[in-house]
């Protein structure tokens, strides 16, 4: 499995940086990881899919990341 993409931003609007990361190859997956504000991350699997690139943006222009 190879790392393919990584982006950091405040996914849960709590004021700290969270991560989204993707890996491809055998066992391709994408995770998002929420930071508790003290540097501890909880990982969540996104349905066994992998992307070559990941990025965060405010696609709907409502002031938060999508």
């Amino acid at each position: 499995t190879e790392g393919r993409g990584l982006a950091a931003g405040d996914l849960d609007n709590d004021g700290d940086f969270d991560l989204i990361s993707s890996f491809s190859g055998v066992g391709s997956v994408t995770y998002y990881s929420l930071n508790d504000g003290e540097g501890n991350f909880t990982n969540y699997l996104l349905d066994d899919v992998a992307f070559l690139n990941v990025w965060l943006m405010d696609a709907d222009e409502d002031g938060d990341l999508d």
Side-chain angles (χ1 to χ4, degrees):
T1 302
E2 295 181 30
R4 290 294 182 184
L6 176 67
D10 187 5
L11 297 172
D12 54 4
N13 295 316
D14 64 356
D16 53 34
F17 282 105
D18 307 303
L19 302 173
I20 184 165
S21 54
S22 65
F23 303 88
S24 67
V26 176
S28 297
V29 295
T30 300
Y31 290 98
Y32 68 96
S33 305
L34 299 181
N35 183 347
D36 68 1
E38 296 190 20
N40 303 304
F41 289 86
T42 302
N43 297 320
Y44 298 91
L45 179 64
L46 294 178
D47 295 327
D48 292 327
V49 296
F51 302 99
L52 292 180
N53 296 305
V54 295
W55 64 92
L56 301 171
M57 62 183 277
D58 183 8
D60 57 7
E61 298 180 356
D62 66 352
D64 59 11
L65 295 174
D66 302 311

